[in-house]
Amino acid sequence: MQNRKPQSSRRRAFTLVEISIVVTVIGIMASLTVYAFGAVRSRRALQDAARTVVAELHKTRVIGLSGRLGDSAAPTVGGPPANSTFNASLDGSTQSYQQTGLRVQDDHTFVFFGDVDTVSNGNEYQLAVVDLEDGHPDGQLRIQAPPVSTEIRFARNTTRVGNVGTITLVNQSNNQQKNITISLTGVPRIQ
């Protein structure tokens, strides 16, 4: 004689409470993941903005080291007319850059320039304009640059001229910041 247990015709299933707990846990995990990815995206955007500024600073220093006005140089408003030759002629004599640098145009735009007379008087040649909020139309990145009209200049030997040696970029959406320091020898570094 075998002792057999009667098989139940009822199968074990998940209850509504168990299913709702699993769905709640999955929802919490998904929301934490979305938040983490948003923070990573924001940090990456700030790092990319700092790298863009440093890359333009390097290019500006190299142009300043050569001292030559290139074909792509366009004068800023009120500046001398651009010449299509490799060197620009302002008054019949061939001129070359004496200083290069960057100027903060507004709270998120930098103008990189070359200057033939070392005086900030509006006749600088515009080498590049970098808007740090370009590519972020959704407002995820709100960069704040240093005060408007801040200038950092480099001499022909690429050393930094003046007292300003740090650019601080602030992501206004989360108050993260990146510092770009420019040594006396003119080398920019992201910190």
Side-chain angles (χ1 to χ4, degrees):
M1 295 195 163
Q2 289 182 334
N3 192 2
R4 285 184 145 180
K5 292 183 181 177
Q7 286 187 350
S8 171
S9 62
R10 207 168 159 223
R11 292 177 33 193
R12 174 85 172 124
F14 293 110
T15 65
L16 183 59
V17 172
E18 292 171 329
I19 291 174
S20 50
I21 288 173
V22 168
V23 168
T24 303
V25 167
I26 290 173
I28 290 170
M29 290 173 57
S31 66
L32 291 174
T33 303
V34 168
Y35 176 76
F37 281 132
V40 167
R41 182 178 168 197
S42 178
R43 280 193 303 270
R44 168 145 324 209
L46 184 61
Q47 181 69 21
D48 288 347
R51 285 183 181 154
T52 299
V53 171
V54 167
E56 288 297 328
L57 280 170
H58 281 300
K59 286 195 299 191
T60 301
R61 287 180 63 227
V62 168
I63 291 170
L65 187 59
S66 73
R68 298 195 287 191
L69 301 171
D71 293 337
S72 63
T76 56
V77 176
N83 194 334
S84 60
T85 61
F86 201 74
N87 287 330
S89 177
L90 301 176
D91 58 358
S93 63
T94 302
Q95 297 276 330
S96 62
Y97 292 139
Q98 299 303 311
Q99 290 183 344
T100 56
L102 74 85
R103 177 181 305 110
V104 179
Q105 181 173 328
D106 59 35
D107 67 344
H108 53 84
T109 307
F110 292 92
V111 175
F112 296 85
F113 62 86
D115 195 357
V116 294
D117 62 6
T118 71
V119 178
S120 182
N121 57 5
N123 70 344
E124 294 86 8
Y125 283 83
Q126 181 174 303
L127 302 173
V129 176
V130 175
D131 185 347
L132 298 178
E133 291 183 359
D134 272 356
H136 301 280
D138 56 357
Q140 291 295 323
L141 180 65
R142 297 278 307 146
I143 296 290
Q144 180 181 355
V148 175
S149 299
T150 298
E151 279 191 358
I152 296 177
R153 288 178 169 255
F154 302 104
R156 281 286 297 276
N157 63 1
T158 72
T159 58
R160 179 173 48 95
V161 176
N163 296 327
V164 179
T166 302
I167 301 169
T168 301
L169 303 178
V170 179
N171 187 335
Q172 295 174 337
S173 63
N174 58 10
N175 284 334
Q176 291 177 339
Q177 66 181 30
K178 285 281 181 190
N179 291 324
I180 301 170
T181 59
I182 300 154
S183 67
L184 289 174
T185 58
V187 178
R189 286 193 172 78
I190 299 172
Q191 296 180 336

